[in-house]
Amino acid sequence: MSLPQQPKPAKLVIGLLMKDKALLEPLAAELASLFGSADTVSSWMPFDYTAYYKSELGFPLYRRLLTFETLIDQQELAAIKLATNRLEQAYSRNR
């Protein structure tokens, strides 16, 4: 039988979904101020698998993944989600 243990620090991966690629630079800077330096930034990927976000975000949509150098305490995931929700609201054009 295994015993419950504290989760180990984990790599933070944030997926960005956007229509306006120009938002990446200021958004990445804000994310870095919150979570430290990004150590990986993926290439742009088209996000054309579904029309689910079309009414909210427009079309075409693009995805990019960022990972961060500093490992996070997994117990901070809820607070991280709230912080990224605030950024999403700040960058939304239809607030």
Side-chain angles (χ1 to χ4, degrees):
M1 170 175 80
S2 65
L3 298 175
Q5 297 178 11
Q6 195 73 2
K8 293 181 181 179
K11 186 71 143 175
L12 178 60
V13 178
I14 294 181
L16 303 173
L17 188 61
M18 60 185 68
K19 180 178 166 111
D20 184 358
K21 292 180 179 181
L23 293 176
L24 177 67
E25 190 173 328
L27 185 53
E30 289 206 51
L31 289 168
S33 74
L34 293 170
F35 308 119
S37 299
D39 59 0
T40 304
V41 179
S42 74
S43 59
W44 287 107
M45 298 171 269
F47 189 82
D48 54 5
Y49 308 101
T50 178
Y52 181 82
Y53 298 102
K54 188 176 182 179
S55 64
E56 181 181 356
L57 299 175
F59 192 80
L61 293 176
Y62 304 96
R63 174 168 285 258
R64 205 157 200 185
L65 301 174
L66 284 75
T67 67
F68 293 84
E69 208 172 279
T70 304
L71 299 180
I72 60 153
D73 180 340
Q74 292 187 50
Q75 292 180 350
E76 295 298 314
L77 284 172
I80 290 168
K81 178 62 177 167
L82 293 173
T84 58
N85 282 353
R86 285 190 294 275
L87 283 175
E88 184 177 342
Q89 281 294 321
Y91 280 83
S92 174
R93 291 199 175 128
N94 299 319
R95 287 182 263 170

